[in-house]
Amino acid sequence: MRRLFTVLAAGLLVAGCGGSGKQEAGHSKLRWAFMLPTSWDPVTSRTGADINTISLAYASLTRLDKQGEAQPGLAQKWRFSDDGKALTFDLRKGLTFSDDTVLDAAAVKAFYDRALTQKDSFIKRDLGGVESVSADGPLAVTFHLREPDYQLPTILAGRVGAIASPTAAAKDKAKLALWPVGAGPFRITEFVPESHAYFERNPGYWDAANIHIDRFELTNAPDPATVIAALLSGSIDVAGRIPPRRVEEAKGRGLTVAIAPSLNVRDVSINRNRPPFDNPRVVEALRYAFDRGEFIRTVTAGLATVSHQPFPAGNAAFDASVEKLWGYDPDKARALLREAGYPPGKLAIEIAVNPVMNDGLPELVQAQLARVGVKSTLRIVPPGSSTWQSEVYIAKRPALALDGTIGRESPVQNLLATYGPEGIMNLSGPYAAPAFLQALDAVRRTPTSDPAYAARLHAAVRAGVEQSPSNYLYSEPWIVGARAGVKNLNILPSQIRWEGVTVQ
C-alpha cells in the first residue's frame, strides 16, 4: 500500500504543479497547520477529525450551526415519511463537482451505493440502518431505512454526507483517496502525502459568496513547542491548536488566540481484551486513580472542564449523573489492585502515546498511576494515517492508550465511535454491551423534538460509560492561534470552517 501510495502521489504532484506558491496581487492566501486526512475519499476516511480537512474539498448534504442543529447544505430541505422509514432530500439546482460532473440525485445515489457496498468503506457503519437510496427525480433523493433514524440529517452534515464525484470514483477509486473531487469551497491543485495539500477557491461552490480565500495551503501541525514560532515567522497563518499553557505567551507576542466551545474530550483508552485489563478489578481500580482536577490545572492551564464521558458539560448529550459514578480515590484504587493480585509496584503497563495530541498529559498520567502503585512506560506511536490509526484504531494492539474524541456531528454517531462494536475509538472492540446498543436504538427511533428524546439520549450515554473500561478525563475547548491579519475565524464545536474568514 505504501508503494502504491507513493507512486500515485508522485504522479499527482506532477499533475498539480500548475499551482504556484506565489500570491498574486489582490488575491488572498491562507496557510493552515492542522493534520492531513486519513483519506481524501469520504468513503474511506477513518477518523472524526477528517471532517475539518475533507470539508475543504467537499460539501455535505447538510451542515451544522453552532448549536449543533442541521442546516441546509447541498440539500436545501428534507422531510421524513410519516413512519420515519424514509428521508427525502431536495438538492439545490445547478450543482456540479470540481470535475464538472453534475451533482444531482443520480450522483448522490451513486455515491451511497458505493458507500454501502465498497469493501473498505468506513462510513458504512454510520449508514447501518439504510437499506437503499433512490433518485426520485432530478433533484430528489430518498434514504430508505430499516427502522426510523431521526439522527440522519445531523449525521449527513459530516463526512458521511460529503458527496464525491461518481465519475472520479468510477475512473479510479484509489486515486480519489489521494485527490479529492467534490463540490466544496476549494478544489485541490497539489498534494504530497504526509506533507501538504494546496487548493484554490472553487467558484462553483453553492456558498462561494462567503469564501474569501483564493489560495489555501494545508500542512501538518508543527510540534507544540514550535507552533508559536511558526505563526510569528509567517510560515503558517492559522494553527489548529495552541497548547493551553502557551496561550498567554501567544497573546503577548501579538497573535490572535480564539478559545471556542468544542466536542474535544481526552481519555485514557483501555483494552479489556488484553491483560491486565481482562481483570475487572484492575479496570475498577483505574476508575479511582485519576485526579482530573490536577490534569486541568497542570495540563490545560485551567481552560478545560472535568468530563467522565465523551461529551463536554453544556452539550445536549452530557449526562450529569455520570459525573457522580466515580471520584478520585487513590486508597480505593490501591485496595482494588491488591484484591486483583497487584500490590504496589507489582503491576507494570505500557502507555501508547500520540505525540501531537498529548503535550504534558502522558507524564502526568504516569505520575498519577505511580501514586496508586502502578509502574508505566511510554511508547510513542506516530500520528500518521499508517501508524496511530492503523496501530490503535484498526489493529487495537495497545492495552492502554492516551487518546481523545474530537466529536461527531450526531451524539449517536459519537457514542458508536467511542463505545460501539466497530467504534474506531473503542479500544475494547468488538465488545459492546447489548444494553448499550438497545439504548442507542431507542435514541435513533425518537425524533429530536420529542419530549422523551433527552432522557433516552442520557440513558444511552450512561450505558456506554458503564460498559466501557476507558476513562474520560476532561473536555478542552478549541484553542486556535492565528496571525493578526486573519479575521472572523469560523469555529464550530464539531469543526473549523472557512466561510466568512478573511485574510488581510
Side-chain angles (χ1 to χ4, degrees), residues 279-303:
N279 185 326
R281 290 193 182 279
V282 176
V283 170
E284 188 70 7
L286 263 63
R287 300 282 198 195
Y288 301 96
F290 299 114
D291 182 352
R292 289 163 173 80
E294 187 178 20
F295 287 122
I296 290 171
R297 294 188 302 272
T298 305
V299 178
T300 78
L303 294 176

Side-chain angles (χ1 to χ4, degrees), residues 79-385:
R79 58 197 173 276
F80 278 97
S81 61
D82 291 341
D83 64 0
K85 291 187 176 182
L87 173 59
T88 299
F89 289 90
D90 294 325
L91 302 174
R92 298 176 186 274
K93 295 180 180 178
L95 297 172
T96 58
F97 295 99
S98 58
D99 63 355
D100 296 325
T101 298
V102 173
L103 200 169
D104 57 8
V108 174
K109 170 180 165 50
F111 174 78
Y112 285 105
D113 287 347
R114 179 168 72 90
L116 290 167
T117 59
Q118 188 168 311
K119 186 177 180 180
D120 59 349
S121 170
F122 273 86
I123 62 173
K124 188 188 307 182
R125 65 195 64 174
D126 296 304
L127 299 166
V130 177
E131 265 187 341
S132 62
V133 178
S134 64
D136 302 327
L139 298 177
V141 60
T142 300
F143 290 75
H144 302 278
L145 312 175
R146 295 181 182 87
E147 297 291 340
D149 187 351
Y150 294 98
Q151 297 287 309
L152 262 183
T154 306
I155 291 173
L156 295 173
R159 61 195 179 93
V160 181
I163 311 299
S165 164
T167 302
K171 285 181 179 177
D172 191 343
K173 288 194 292 288
K175 180 178 178 181
L176 190 61
L178 297 165
W179 194 263
V181 184
F186 302 98
R187 52 194 182 195
I188 197 163
T189 59
E190 180 175 311
F191 175 51
V192 176
E194 310 294 348
S195 175
H196 66 262
Y198 296 161
F199 299 83
E200 63 184 8
R201 183 177 177 272
N202 178 14
Y205 176 47
W206 72 266
D207 197 18
N210 285 316
I211 298 297
H212 311 297
I213 301 165
D214 297 297
R215 178 177 169 84
F216 196 104
E217 298 184 358
L218 169 68
T219 62
N220 273 318
D223 184 277
T226 63
V227 64
I228 291 177
L231 285 165
L232 291 170
S233 71
S235 61
I236 60 174
D237 299 304
V238 179
R241 183 175 183 270
I242 295 289
R245 292 178 294 181
R246 303 192 67 191
V247 166
E248 294 307 315
E249 176 193 353
K251 290 179 178 178
R253 302 188 71 177
L255 298 173
T256 299
V257 179
I259 300 175
S262 82
L263 299 178
N264 301 321
V265 188
R266 297 293 183 89
D267 77 299
V268 176
S269 289
I270 292 174
N271 190 339
R272 73 193 300 273
N273 302 317
R274 298 193 182 278
F277 301 111
D278 52 354
N279 185 326
R281 290 193 182 279
V282 176
V283 170
E284 188 70 7
L286 263 63
R287 300 282 198 195
Y288 301 96
F290 299 114
D291 182 352
R292 289 163 173 80
E294 187 178 20
F295 287 122
I296 290 171
R297 294 188 302 272
T298 305
V299 178
T300 78
L303 294 176
T305 56
V306 169
S307 184
H308 289 71
Q309 56 196 293
F311 299 99
N315 185 273
F318 182 84
D319 179 29
S321 72
V322 166
E323 301 303 305
K324 302 173 185 177
L325 293 176
W326 304 283
Y328 178 52
D329 190 339
D331 291 334
K332 190 167 186 175
R334 284 189 287 268
L336 285 164
L337 287 170
R338 285 192 192 94
E339 292 175 20
Y342 295 106
K346 185 174 180 182
L347 178 60
I349 60 176
E350 181 181 79
I351 302 173
V353 176
N354 182 333
V356 171
M357 296 181 62
N358 292 290
D359 49 298
L361 180 61
E363 293 78 12
L364 188 51
V365 167
Q366 274 191 302
Q368 292 193 5
L369 287 174
R371 291 174 202 163
V372 298
V374 178
K375 298 177 181 179
S376 61
T377 56
L378 303 179
R379 180 169 69 90
I380 303 299
V381 181
S385 60

Side-chain angles (χ1 to χ4, degrees), residues 19 51-52 78 140 165 199 227 275 324 373 390 459 470 473:
I51 185 56
N52 290 277
W78 54 91
S165 164
F199 299 83
V227 64
K324 302 173 185 177
S390 297
S470 295
L473 303 175

